[in-house]
Amino acid sequence: MSWLFGIKGPKGEGAGPPLPLPPAQPGVEGGGDRGAGDRPAPKDKWSNFDPTGLERAAKAARELEHSRHAKEALSLAQMQEQTLQLEQQSKIKEYEAAVEQLKSEQIRVQAEERRKTLSEETRQHQARAQYQDKLARQRYEDQLKQQQVLNEENLRKQEESVQKQEALRRATVEREMELRHKNEMLRVEAEARARARAERENADITREQIRLKAAEHRQTILESIRTAGTLFGEGFRAFVTDWDKVTATVNTTAILPRDAERRLGWDSDLLITIPLLAGARPLENVAGLTLLAVGVYSAKNATSVAGRYFEARLGKPSLVRETSRITVLEALRHPVQVSRRLLSKPQDALEGVVLSPSLEARVRDIAIATRNTKKNRSLYRNILMYGPPGTGKTLFAKKLALHSGMDYAVMSGGDVAPMGRDGVTAMHKVFDWANTSRRGLLLFVDEADAFLRKRATEKISEDLRATLNAFLHRTGQHSSKFMLVLASNQPEQFDWAINDRIDEMVSFDLPRQEERERLVRMYFDKYVLKPATEGKQRLKLAQFDYGKKCSEIARLTEGMSGREISQLAVAWQAMAYASEDGVLTEAMMDARVQDAIQQHKQKMQWLRAEGVQPPLPSVPSK
């Protein structure tokens, strides 16, 4: 419809001349500068409206209405309008397509940016995680180093503390020994002075008594010799003068049976020689027979005595299971070890033995007294150690012997009963062998109640009763050659004669919490910590507070003996060896402790089922 306003169409068609444009208004853009007094143009859209255009349009419409080409113009205008609409729609579609393409491009760019962002965030997370892991490893290594330094420092302090305590204890023991030695010397000196003074005062009486005793002894011997000579001379004279007796004796001896040979102990050569002597003269026959019998008897007895002598010194009795006594055969087999044992210094009686303070003081007094007894070559005392199994009785007996400079021999009471008739001979061999010790022998009888039972009430065999009588015979008096130490879990079953031979009784009770903690620390250091630090064995130890763990285990193992705690430490070592990396962790130790506690409870249930009250730890005296 642009022709209505006098504007030509696209092909220059139009009716009439072009309409004149309205004159430019003053102040319009491009119309020159505004005057100083010009007002600003209004801001609404109707302020620049030109009404002349409507007039021209109305005039053109009237002219077109009277024109003959009105219809063609109207259809042409409609076609132009449709073309413009189609072009406009195509532009709109192109624009929409461009907008969609721009949106897809924008989505792709956003996706690419998001992918790059995610990739960068992932890389940043990985870098951050690696850095944090590096820091964590470094912190862990620093903690391990600090823990190792702290453990080494604690061990060093503990070692220094133990060394100081050992030095103080050794100094105390040496001082006590010195004071006791001085007191003993003063007592011996006083007794010697008193004895010498008494002997000086009673010298005349003593000499008179000695003279009378010597005279009586001489007179008795002379009378015995005179009587024996008279009887032997009369008997020999009567035998020689009666030729019938001599001939009968020779003939009877010549036909002795073989059982007489066995009973009399004569050899077959002697029986063959007897008939040869029968043809000689009677006096020569009797003298030859007598000399031959004396020679054979002397040779056999000498051989038996020599055999017993060498057996007592070159071997050990069959009842002795273990001994520290050095024999000739052992010295020939292991000369280096024997030399080390001979040159070794006496050990502390309580080294490696953990006891309560009161019991430790008592057994230390026993050890000092035993050592001084050996030095002064006095009589040893017999000791009974009783208490639950695994409380350190055997260990202390061995330490006591080594501390005193004596040899020790361990025998079990359960080995006596199976020997039957040979028990008496074996028991005498043990004490004969003990009496040959030059250093003194500590004879430790473990499970002594197995054969030292009551003879009046217990039903024991005759062989065991005879063996018990032999033991009582050999221990009736104190000896300076051997010391008897008995160990039993049931001392109430001893025969009364055995109780009469005991000089001192020592009770070994179950360890309390303080002693258990010392035991746990000692065996943990021996079987776990020391092998792990030396590096010679396939054993490693994880990082945790060892002292705190030992205290906790000591609290949990109430009622256990020292042997059970040592077995627990050996089980820790075995668990470490059984693991793949050889590392003993805190969890592994806790698991083994729980197993040991369950096993201990099961043992106590078995004891209660037998009607036996389980032993309890001793209560410290206030």
Side-chain angles (χ1 to χ4, degrees), residues 269-434:
D269 296 337
L270 177 61
L271 300 178
I272 295 173
T273 308
I274 289 175
L276 298 177
L277 295 175
R281 288 179 295 178
L283 185 59
E284 294 178 355
N285 193 0
V286 172
L289 288 174
T290 304
L291 293 175
L292 184 61
V294 170
V296 172
Y297 180 76
S298 301
K300 286 198 170 185
N301 285 318
T303 303
S304 177
V305 172
R308 286 195 300 268
Y309 177 81
F310 284 106
E311 182 182 2
R313 282 162 175 78
L314 297 181
K316 68 176 183 179
S318 58
L319 283 178
V320 176
R321 288 191 172 187
E322 180 184 356
T323 179
S324 64
R325 186 173 174 180
I326 301 173
T327 61
V328 178
L329 296 177
E330 186 178 359
L332 294 176
R333 291 178 180 176
H334 309 287
V336 178
Q337 297 179 1
V338 171
S339 302
R340 290 178 180 176
R341 287 170 57 181
L342 291 175
L343 298 176
S344 62
K345 296 181 180 180
Q347 299 181 3
D348 185 10
L350 296 178
E351 182 180 358
V353 182
V354 177
L355 303 173
S356 61
S358 58
L359 181 58
E360 183 176 348
R362 185 176 181 186
V363 297
R364 190 178 295 281
D365 292 339
I366 295 175
I368 296 173
T370 305
R371 187 172 184 178
N372 292 333
T373 300
K374 181 182 180 301
K375 288 182 178 179
N376 297 322
R377 297 181 180 179
S378 183
L379 299 177
Y380 293 106
R381 304 171 67 204
N382 300 328
I383 299 175
L384 168 64
M385 297 186 296
Y386 64 94
T391 52
K393 298 184 291 295
T394 306
L395 180 60
F396 171 70
K398 294 180 181 179
K399 295 291 184 180
L400 175 61
L402 297 177
H403 172 74
S404 305
M406 304 170 63
D407 294 325
Y408 68 85
V410 180
M411 62 174 287
S412 176
D415 296 339
V416 178
M419 300 193 73
R421 297 180 179 179
D422 298 332
V424 176
T425 304
M427 189 62 64
H428 284 299
K429 285 184 179 180
V430 169
F431 286 99
D432 291 340
W433 176 73

Side-chain angles (χ1 to χ4, degrees), residues 1 3-4 15 57-74 77:
M1 297 293 290
W3 56 273
L4 294 175
K59 184 179 179 180
R62 287 192 299 270
E63 290 178 356
L64 182 59
E65 184 179 358
H66 296 91
S67 176
R68 57 188 182 89
H69 299 289
K71 292 183 179 180
E72 288 83 358
L74 183 58

Side-chain angles (χ1 to χ4, degrees), residues 322 363 366-367 369-371 379-387 392-402 404 406-413 427 430-431 434 440-452 471 474-475 477-479 481-489 491 494 498 501-508:
E322 180 184 356
V363 297
I366 295 175
T370 305
R371 187 172 184 178
L379 299 177
Y380 293 106
R381 304 171 67 204
N382 300 328
I383 299 175
L384 168 64
M385 297 186 296
Y386 64 94
K393 298 184 291 295
T394 306
L395 180 60
F396 171 70
K398 294 180 181 179
K399 295 291 184 180
L400 175 61
L402 297 177
S404 305
M406 304 170 63
D407 294 325
Y408 68 85
V410 180
M411 62 174 287
S412 176
M427 189 62 64
V430 169
F431 286 99
L441 182 72
L442 189 147
L443 182 59
F444 179 74
V445 183
D446 196 11
E447 304 297 338
D449 54 277
F451 80 103
L452 299 179
F471 181 85
R474 299 304 295 264
T475 57
Q477 295 180 352
H478 291 83
S479 173
K481 292 291 186 179
F482 65 90
M483 175 182 180
L484 185 63
V485 178
L486 305 178
S488 174
N489 302 330
F494 280 159
I498 298 296
R501 283 160 171 76
I502 295 172
D503 298 307
E504 188 165 357
M505 297 187 297
V506 183
S507 175
F508 284 73

Side-chain angles (χ1 to χ4, degrees), residues 556-606:
L556 293 175
T557 55
E558 183 178 1
M560 290 190 181
S561 62
R563 182 183 292 120
E564 290 177 316
I565 295 176
S566 67
Q567 292 172 353
L568 180 60
V570 173
W572 292 337
Q573 188 185 69
M575 290 187 70
Y577 290 152
S579 62
E580 295 181 357
D581 51 358
V583 177
L584 180 63
T585 62
E586 186 176 2
M588 296 167 65
M589 292 181 63
D590 293 338
R592 196 63 194 87
V593 168
Q594 294 300 324
D595 292 342
I597 292 174
Q598 294 298 327
Q599 294 176 9
H600 177 75
K601 291 181 179 179
Q602 183 63 45
K603 294 176 183 178
M604 296 301 102
Q605 290 180 1
W606 291 342

